[in-house]
Amino acid sequence: MLTMKNINKVFKTDLVETHALRDFNLSVQEGEFVAVTGPSGSGKTTFLNIAGLLEGFTHGDYFLDGVNISNLNDNKAAAIRNEKIGFIFQGFNLIPDLNLAENVEVPLRYRGFSAKERQRRVKEALEKVGLGARMKHLPSQLSGGQQQRVAIARALAGEPRFLLADEPTGNLDSLMARQVMELLEAINKAGTTIIMVTHDPELARRAQRNIQIVDGQVCDFTLYQGGQNHQVDTMEQAAS
Amino acid sequence: MLNIKPIVSSLLRSKSGPILLLMQIILSVAIVANASFIINERLTMMQRDSGIAEQEILTFAIYNFDPSIDATLQNKVDQRILRSLPNVKAAASTNMLPLSGSGWSTTLNLGPDPETAKSTPQVAMYMGTEHTLETFGVTLVEGRNFYADEITDDVNSPNILLLITKALADEVWPNESAVGKTLWAGRDVQVTVIGVVDKMQGAWVDSSDLEYSIIQNVDYSGNSYMVRAEPKHHEALQQQILDALMTENPNRVIDNFQSIAVVKENSYRDHELMVTVLSMMVVLLLLITSLGLTGMVMFNIQRRTKQIGTRRALGATKGDILSLFLTENYIICIVGGLIGGVLAVLLGQQLMQHYDLPQLNLIYPVLTVVGMLLVTTVAVILPARKAANISPAMATRSV
């Protein structure tokens, strides 16, 4: 479903060149739950931004559903983000002046859905995350865990091809983190592909596959199957 | 894409900033609408056609201090000299200068009995000769000019003939000719209208009776003279007049040379000052409003950088972000414009009561709101474009 081939991302200043990603290769299959880990500054966020078409890259090819989406203009990239990618951010990124329904509705409005369709999708998405009864509440009236569930509902409402989660439990206490994680697992079991960037090895172990990034490269694949893990050295091995 | 409902919800929830801006727009619309109305009213007043060749008429005053001089005779000699000067089209003495703010006025009756007869409006009363029409540069539209032998030197002459303005003729004798009609100055003095001139304003520019003027067939020996010549000759003519008249009689003072255009300018000076002050106020208010809008948008961009990045990440195009900020501010502007428009009408009513102004024309609040929408667009578009350029990657940054 998602394939990155030899992706390089170089940040240039007058004095230095920094390789945030270096010959980065990754393939994610439909329905997978992939955790991306790595130390600070390793390139996790750069990978997430590129995977989510939030920023471009210097070299390489990025295929989504077999289509090369490496050189899209701004409007086309926005359309793909809107239709195919659901985002879950560490800080939830809800709009404080909008109520829950209006927040979930934001990407649907950009898609151009009718009011009736938007209403149906908002209701369904909020009910899916257990907040169907609180549609008129403001984000500030919710706990952190509930806010992240709203953000998940917002990501799901557009029925994306995959979810990109950036430290989805990073701002939550352990109980709420567990609830959010259970929700993400349930969503994945229902068929949605999830790529999750996290610092937390405990959370990473709950994914089907763990990719470790060090110095802008994939250095390690770990497959978790029934509580046991197998380390593999190359992407080809991981994909096989 | 316009998303008015969530934008309105959002504005209603974040009250303080939008309310301050709203109040600024309400006050601006109320003041700018009335100020524009007054400016336009004053400009229209200043641009009225006086009917007189303002640029061509050079006026001056002659002060005789010698009691032995026959003023009537001297007046006739002086006028002859003036008419003989090179480049002079016409010359005449006058009892009052048009548009000068001072002069003679009267009211005439349509019948002999002042108790029962209908009166004319207050009319400016010029005195002149067969040369006066040409000197003023006014056009005769009906009847005839004075003949030379009809001119008298006596202001109390029983044989007074009148040239009147068309405005006065239409007011007193609507739908019929004024020529040959008689008017009374008191019980005994009859005056006959012999001609109608197209337009010739009186002396008082603020008067509602400015267009009502008459010229009597009296060669008035006062101290005001008018010489009509092309403006390019005025400077040379001034010296020629001095030389010729002082040669004729050196025992007098001749000064205060000015064109009627300058006289008019002086009369409208207060109005011009008001136009300038109000125009500056309008510009200042629009500038302050536009700065307020720009400031508010820039503040919002700074406050909502991550939110804008998030919207971009969720699929908003640059155009959507631009439209978000424009729509937000258009909503404030339209609501402020509607309330400001009502306030403008109420303010206009108060001004009408206290300062003798006509009723505010509703087109002014409407045009002010349209102008305010333009100001909003100009003030918002640049910062909004900056907002539209915020990277969607901002959504994942810790800011």
Side-chain angles (χ1 to χ4, degrees), chain A residues 49 74 82 93 97 109-110, chain B residues 1 13 312 314 395-396:
Chain A
N49 286 345
D74 197 78
N82 184 261
N93 292 21
D97 299 329
R109 281 185 179 270
Y110 294 132
Chain B
M1 180 195 297
R13 282 172 195 136
R312 294 276 286 124
L314 297 178
T396 59

Side-chain angles (χ1 to χ4, degrees), chain B residues 146-356:
Chain B
F146 304 125
Y147 297 133
D149 58 7
E150 290 171 337
I151 305 301
T152 172
D153 299 322
D154 180 8
V155 292
N156 297 315
S157 164
N159 302 314
I160 292 296
L161 301 174
L162 291 186
L163 298 172
I164 68 171
T165 55
K166 190 169 185 306
L168 179 62
D170 291 344
E171 174 69 25
V172 180
W173 298 286
N175 307 318
E176 55 180 314
S177 171
V179 175
K181 294 282 192 308
T182 304
L183 290 166
W184 276 262
R187 281 182 194 280
D188 305 323
V189 183
Q190 285 187 52
V191 293
T192 306
V193 177
I194 61 161
V196 177
V197 298
D198 185 29
K199 200 169 178 58
M200 190 176 78
Q201 290 185 336
W204 303 274
V205 296
D206 293 330
S207 167
S208 56
D209 297 330
L210 180 65
E211 304 295 335
Y212 305 139
S213 301
I214 60 172
I215 309 174
Q216 296 185 359
N217 55 333
V218 177
D219 192 0
Y220 182 76
S221 307
N223 55 10
S224 292
Y225 287 81
M226 302 184 297
V227 174
R228 187 170 160 215
E230 291 294 328
K232 62 183 177 188
H233 300 307
H234 281 196
E235 202 177 332
L237 198 54
Q238 193 170 324
Q239 192 55 49
Q240 288 161 356
I241 290 168
L242 277 172
D243 292 346
L245 294 184
M246 293 306 270
T247 305
E248 154 59 25
N249 178 357
N251 297 320
R252 50 189 177 170
V253 174
I254 302 171
D255 73 352
N256 208 16
F257 284 92
Q258 58 184 341
S259 69
I260 293 292
V262 172
V263 172
K264 183 181 181 181
E265 208 177 293
N266 289 335
S267 285
Y268 281 110
R269 186 140 290 168
D270 286 351
H271 299 289
E272 202 181 332
L273 182 69
M274 181 173 269
V275 166
T276 308
V277 170
L278 288 179
S279 302
M280 283 167 66
M281 195 174 81
V282 166
V283 170
L284 205 67
L285 271 174
L286 292 179
L287 193 70
I288 290 170
T289 307
S290 95
L291 286 175
L293 281 160
T294 305
M296 181 61 75
V297 174
M298 285 172 78
F299 171 72
N300 275 335
I301 291 168
Q302 205 171 14
R303 192 173 62 96
R304 288 153 61 179
T305 301
K306 188 151 191 162
Q307 189 193 115
I308 295 162
T310 303
R311 283 181 182 273
R312 294 276 286 124
L314 297 178
T317 60
K318 289 181 177 182
D320 290 329
I321 300 298
L322 199 66
S323 142
L324 171 73
F325 280 96
L326 280 172
T327 309
E328 265 184 13
N329 288 284
Y330 282 150
I331 289 170
I332 295 174
C333 184
I334 289 168
V335 172
L338 289 176
I339 301 172
V342 173
L343 194 65
V345 173
L346 295 175
L347 183 65
Q349 283 172 351
Q350 291 300 311
L351 289 172
M352 193 172 72
Q353 273 180 11
H354 294 101
Y355 296 101
D356 194 28

Side-chain angles (χ1 to χ4, degrees), chain B residues 54-109:
Chain B
E54 299 159 11
Q55 299 288 339
E56 293 190 357
I57 301 172
L58 181 65
T59 75
F60 60 93
I62 302 176
Y63 302 100
N64 282 305
F65 298 102
D66 184 351
S68 66
I69 283 179
D70 179 345
T72 306
L73 185 62
Q74 183 69 65
N75 174 40
K76 290 186 193 310
V77 172
D78 288 343
Q79 285 187 67
R80 254 199 316 274
I81 292 171
L82 292 171
R83 282 194 279 272
S84 70
L85 292 173
N87 300 315
V88 170
K89 292 181 182 176
S93 65
T94 182
N95 63 321
M96 59 187 263
L97 294 177
L99 314 172
S100 64
S102 71
W104 299 23
S105 72
T106 188
T107 316
L108 299 167
N109 299 321

